[in-house]
Amino acid sequence: MRVLVIINESWGEVDWLLPILFHIKNEWRSKIWVYFTSDTIFEESADYVDLKCMLETVSQQVVTPATLGASDNIDSVNEPKIASIDRLQEITGEAVDLIFHEFGGENFNGILDLFPSAQTVAFPHGTFIYKWVGSGLRDSYRRSMHFEAMRRDTVLLVGSELDREHFVSLTGLTRIEVVGHPKLNRAWVNKMAQEDWSDHHAGEGLASKSEILFLQYPGRRLSSQAKYADVNRTVFHQGKRRGLSVIVRRHPRQEPAQLAACIDAWPDSEVRLTKLSVLASSRNILIAVCLPTSGCMDAIAAGIPVIEFFDYEGEYWPTFVPTSAGYTSIYRKTGLVLSADTREQLEAEIDRLVDDPTYRKKVVTTQYQNLTRLLPIAGSSAS
């Protein structure tokens, strides 16, 4: 089988799809080509060392606009520079049997038309659960994305049964398959945690778990940059207070310069960016602290207790869930995370998780059980 993968917006798509690519390569002896629609996105591979290594291992070739002869990035695969995309046929050598692309945000017909007999499979760019998305955001998706341009026989992969109704109404597709999020399956979690990434992670090789993993989200979503900076400083201080390193994982769609500025402004060298995915970073992580982000699911799958640190007062994101008091995240609503709105609440939860092994074990178990209730996870006791 010959497979083409289109990566459009971020390395989060690579993170989601890699387990499937390894499976079809090993089980079906597939040949896989990967096309990044943006050189800029591909060049962010320096921040995803493990994912880049795994992608190169599983693929015949990773292709970018520069590979195809384009002089710079293309904003849309249907712009005039699309002529260079014809070279994909030369690179793959013959007809492609299967094409993977993310499920929205782009019209890929300029590429799909090159391979009219290929089966298309659309996949999520992350692990968000869409059941509680409001009608306003759903209408925005319908207007801004290109679901109407998708081939009607496209197979759409979704993470949870809770997502099915949302995507049926949004896309009109009938071939919707609930597959969970393959990177959260037990075998893949273990594979990523057991790989030796020591050349790329300063904390690797420590004798015990001694790090806080800080999972980010784009600062532009917060009501002010001052609030975003204060959230960062508060979490950084917790590491210093407890003698723990703080390992920061940038969100795939986050501005690198903004986050780097926050870290550079902090005088403590024990705060640093990781260039590994959450799963590859997990070996020495004691606790994860996060803004409202689906990255919490990766930490939970790796057996790391998660605290969501965010004050919802005065904040509104379209993905928030309304409550009688305002808004919350789907992660709090579904019991995936411990909640901390204030610095005092964050400190109390960190202290209890660090100092009380029984409590820590209970939190890890409860969060994992809640995760398995939301979506299928191969290898879990609930699967």
Side-chain angles (χ1 to χ4, degrees), residues 16-44:
W16 195 95
L17 195 59
L18 268 175
I20 292 178
L21 297 184
F22 270 84
H23 176 80
I24 63 177
K25 182 180 178 69
N26 294 333
E27 295 297 319
W28 301 342
R29 297 184 179 180
S30 302
K31 292 184 177 180
I32 300 168
W33 287 265
V34 180
Y35 175 60
F36 281 77
T37 65
S38 163
D39 290 304
T40 300
I41 297 299
F42 173 72
E43 288 162 5
E44 290 182 2

Side-chain angles (χ1 to χ4, degrees), residues 31-91:
K31 292 184 177 180
I32 300 168
W33 287 265
V34 180
Y35 175 60
F36 281 77
T37 65
S38 163
D39 290 304
T40 300
I41 297 299
F42 173 72
E43 288 162 5
E44 290 182 2
S45 61
D47 291 334
Y48 299 94
V49 171
D50 57 316
L51 301 184
K52 181 175 184 286
C53 178
M54 302 291 271
L55 190 64
E56 290 175 341
T57 298
V58 79
S59 60
Q60 298 289 116
Q61 185 178 354
V62 177
V63 183
T64 70
T67 310
L68 300 179
S71 59
D72 55 12
N73 288 323
I74 52 177
D75 296 324
S76 166
V77 293
N78 290 313
E79 290 294 321
K81 285 179 190 174
I82 197 67
S84 64
I85 287 190
D86 292 344
R87 290 203 57 224
L88 281 173
Q89 291 174 307
E90 300 174 27
I91 290 171

Side-chain angles (χ1 to χ4, degrees), residues 89-328:
Q89 291 174 307
E90 300 174 27
I91 290 171
T92 59
E94 55 186 84
V96 166
D97 303 297
L98 195 61
I99 298 177
F100 286 96
H101 65 77
E102 56 107 5
F103 62 54
E106 190 60 86
N107 182 343
F108 296 107
N109 285 341
I111 298 174
L112 302 184
D113 288 348
L114 299 175
F115 306 101
S117 64
Q119 172 65 55
T120 55
V121 180
F123 64 94
H125 56 239
T127 55
F128 185 73
I129 296 174
Y130 290 85
K131 175 180 172 59
W132 295 281
V133 166
S135 58
L137 183 57
R138 187 179 291 111
D139 289 342
S140 175
Y141 284 159
R142 188 174 286 111
R143 290 192 303 269
S144 63
M145 295 185 175
H146 297 268
F147 295 118
E148 79 288 345
M150 294 173 69
R151 292 179 178 175
R152 293 298 89 188
D153 66 345
T154 295
V155 177
L156 176 62
L157 307 181
V158 298
S160 170
E161 190 64 43
L162 298 171
D163 293 332
R164 186 188 294 275
E165 182 180 350
H166 169 84
F167 283 105
V168 166
S169 65
L170 195 61
T171 68
L173 298 177
T174 58
R175 302 180 68 184
I176 296 179
E177 299 292 336
V178 177
V179 297
H181 298 295
K183 66 174 179 173
L184 304 183
N185 291 342
R186 224 356 125 193
W188 188 259
V189 170
N190 292 340
K191 176 181 178 64
M192 294 300 288
Q194 291 167 8
E195 290 282 346
D196 182 10
W197 307 109
S198 56
D199 289 343
H200 311 292
H201 184 44
E204 198 67 48
L206 296 175
S208 61
K209 294 181 180 293
S210 58
E211 298 172 343
I212 296 174
L213 179 64
F214 185 18
L215 302 176
Q216 288 275 324
Y217 202 77
R220 65 180 182 274
R221 291 290 186 91
L222 277 71
S223 58
S224 72
Q225 295 307 301
K227 183 170 183 178
Y228 174 70
D230 185 62
V231 168
N232 280 280
R233 286 192 298 267
T234 301
V235 176
F236 296 167
H237 174 71
Q238 299 310 308
K240 184 175 183 179
R241 185 179 67 87
R242 291 300 315 223
L244 300 170
S245 298
V246 177
I247 308 303
V248 184
R249 175 62 262 177
R250 180 172 71 85
H251 188 277
R253 291 182 293 282
Q254 182 177 19
E255 302 84 347
Q258 182 188 48
L259 178 57
C262 287
I263 294 174
D264 292 343
W266 184 256
D268 192 340
S269 62
E270 289 304 301
V271 175
R272 61 185 182 274
L273 280 167
T274 180
K275 296 183 178 182
L276 300 178
S277 67
V278 174
L279 297 180
S281 301
S282 66
R283 188 179 303 180
N284 297 308
I285 301 301
L286 182 64
I287 300 166
V289 177
C290 67
L291 290 160
T293 171
S294 61
C296 69
M297 297 184 188
D298 299 49
I300 293 165
I304 301 167
V306 183
I307 307 167
E308 183 187 275
F309 175 50
F310 192 72
D311 181 2
Y312 285 83
E313 185 175 353
E315 299 292 331
Y316 171 72
W317 304 353
T319 54
F320 286 171
V321 180
T323 69
S324 58
Y327 293 96
T328 190

